[in-house]
Every structure is written in C-alpha cells, then in structure tokens.
Amino acid sequence: MKVKIAILVVFVYCTTLIINLPAAIVVEWMPASSIKIKNASGNIWKGQAKQVVINPKVTLYNVQWDVQLMALLSLALEADVSFNNGPKAMSGKGIVGYGLSGGSASNVLLDLTSQELLTFLPMRLPVKIEGNFSVVIKEVLQGQPYCEKLQGNILWREAVVYSQMGIVDLASPSIDLGCNDGEITAFVTQESDQITTTLDVSLGENGIYQLNGEIQGTDKLAPSIAKSLTWIGPKNESGATTLNFTGKL
C-alpha cells in the first residue's frame, strides 16, 4: 500500500512539474531551427512570447497560446493561438493543432495589409497594390497532396492596382477556398465600376495549377488596360475575355 501511495505522490509531483514548466526554460531546450522565440513567459500550456520569428520575412509579436488539454486524450495537440503586430499591422487568432492525421486549424482570423503581404511573396510584383486582406479559415485539415478539408474565404478590401498602363479599382474581390480530392480550390469573384472578374482556380500535386474564368471591362477602364485584355485570351459572345491557363508554380 505504501508503495502505491509513493508512486502516486511521485506521479502527481512530476505532473505538477510538467504543467508548471516555465516556457522560457522549454525555449532554451529547443533544438536550433528557423523558428526563434524571444521573451517567453508563462508555462508550456498557457503562456506568451513578445516575439516569434518564423523566417526572415515573418515575425509575429505579442504571441499568446493556451493548450487544450482535453485534446491530448485523442492523441492530438491543439492550442488557441493569437498574435498582434500593432494597431495598423498584421494580427490573427485561431485554433491550431497536430494529430495522427497531420496538421489542422479552425476558426482562424487573419488581417494584414497589402504591404505586409508583398513582403511574404518570393518575388516582386510588377505592379503596386493597395488595400487590406481579411482571411477566415473555418476549417482546414492536412491531406495529400495538400488537404483533406478546407473551408475559408479571403476578402481584399478597397483593392487598387497601380501599373504602368493605368490604375484599376477592383472594389473588394472575394476568394472562396475549398478542397477537392486533396487539391486546393479557389473561386474568385470581383466586381467594380471598371472591371468584373470570375475565376476558378485549382492547385494540384507538384504545384500544377489550372485557371479558368473571364474578365469583363467597362468603359471606365483605362483604354491601355482594356486593350491588354485582348492579349491574354479570346472574347466570348458577351464581350468578356476568357481565360484558360495551366502551369506550374
């Protein structure tokens, strides 16, 4: 009986140590990687960090996490995570996890400016863009080649594109995200006084993409831009330029 009590005491003691293990100590034990966590406080289950550097282009500030202990019963790790880079900068929150079937996320809200988005792109765009992006991911589950489930939306508010040929006011384009047999799908809708666009896009294995849709310009569109639409595809009966591209990212 005394042995069982001693084992129980040791178990409770070890469990208490793990639950209250300071996040700062865990960060010091972490192996060297591209992710750098600075000024961590709290514990490994509920804590915060002043700065998390994911790579040279992505830095998150005021990061907070709260691990959902009940998820551990199903052999999955889930946590409520949030960050805020400032009053006029990128911020986000959501539930992220990792289990036997891979990574997952739900109820994700992400806001960022067009300037911040440009810093994440692998190459510079030949145009200048303005506006703010709002990303809502209701559910995403990792699969092959990319996803098992995906339901979300991207809204580009007050979107404007500046190019050498003129300025295009896009209003607020919307992108509905989905998953079809492991491929990422996106349905783009956009309508403004200058131009209307509908696109169906799919991204498959090895970065192979398929894009289909149409673009319809109005008399308010800059003539040089309206002329350039004839270079990217033929016009249909309604006068809209049709798009049909296949390529590799």
Side-chain angles (χ1 to χ4, degrees):
M1 185 67 179
K2 291 182 179 180
V3 174
K4 291 182 179 180
I5 294 176
I7 293 175
L8 179 60
V9 171
V10 172
F11 175 77
V12 172
Y13 176 72
C14 292
T15 302
T16 303
L17 285 178
I18 293 174
I19 291 176
N20 295 285
L21 190 62
I25 293 178
V26 176
V27 169
E28 292 181 359
W29 291 345
M30 291 176 60
S33 68
S34 59
I35 299 178
K36 307 296 182 183
I37 302 175
K38 301 180 180 180
N39 297 325
S41 58
N43 56 58
I44 60 174
W45 308 107
K46 186 173 184 179
Q48 50 276 327
K50 290 293 184 181
Q51 187 183 87
V52 176
V53 181
I54 299 177
N55 60 47
K57 292 186 176 182
V58 182
T59 300
L60 309 180
Y61 295 91
N62 304 309
V63 180
Q64 298 183 5
W65 64 86
D66 187 356
V67 176
Q68 300 181 358
L69 298 179
M70 292 299 295
L72 298 176
L73 299 178
S74 58
L75 301 179
L77 179 64
E78 288 187 354
D80 286 298
V81 179
S82 66
F83 71 93
N84 192 327
N85 285 12
K88 294 183 179 181
M90 182 170 60
S91 65
K93 64 179 181 178
I95 301 174
V96 297
Y98 192 86
L100 299 177
S101 57
S104 64
S106 61
N107 300 325
V108 174
L109 302 176
L110 176 65
D111 292 303
L112 70 162
T113 65
S114 55
Q115 288 73 26
E116 289 172 315
L117 176 66
L118 290 176
T119 63
F120 303 149
L121 300 180
M123 62 184 69
R124 295 185 60 181
L125 293 179
V127 297
K128 176 185 175 182
I129 64 173
E130 286 186 356
N132 298 314
F133 291 84
S134 293
V135 182
V136 177
I137 303 296
K138 293 184 178 179
E139 182 182 20
V140 58
L141 179 62
Q142 184 179 354
Q144 294 296 329
Y146 299 111
C147 57
E148 179 68 27
K149 296 180 181 179
L150 174 58
Q151 184 180 7
N153 175 268
I154 301 174
L155 181 64
W156 184 5
R157 291 177 279 110
E158 300 177 351
V160 181
V161 177
Y162 299 86
S163 71
Q164 294 181 347
M165 292 184 292
I167 302 173
V168 183
D169 180 4
L170 298 175
S172 295
S174 178
I175 305 174
D176 291 324
L177 301 174
C179 182
N180 183 24
D181 292 331
E183 297 185 354
I184 297 175
T185 62
F187 181 65
V188 183
T189 56
Q190 173 275 322
E191 183 175 0
S192 69
D193 291 339
Q194 296 181 348
I195 196 168
T196 299
T197 307
T198 57
L199 298 174
D200 265 313
V201 186
S202 63
L203 179 63
E205 194 169 5
N206 298 321
I208 303 298
Y209 69 86
Q210 177 72 42
L211 184 151
N212 297 288
E214 61 180 44
I215 301 177
Q216 176 75 65
T218 71
D219 56 2
K220 295 183 178 180
L221 187 64
S224 56
I225 297 178
K227 183 178 180 180
S228 69
L229 294 180
T230 62
W231 305 340
I232 60 177
K235 289 190 175 183
N236 58 23
E237 295 179 355
S238 64
T241 299
T242 59
L243 306 176
N244 187 353
F245 295 110
T246 299
K248 185 175 182 179
L249 296 178

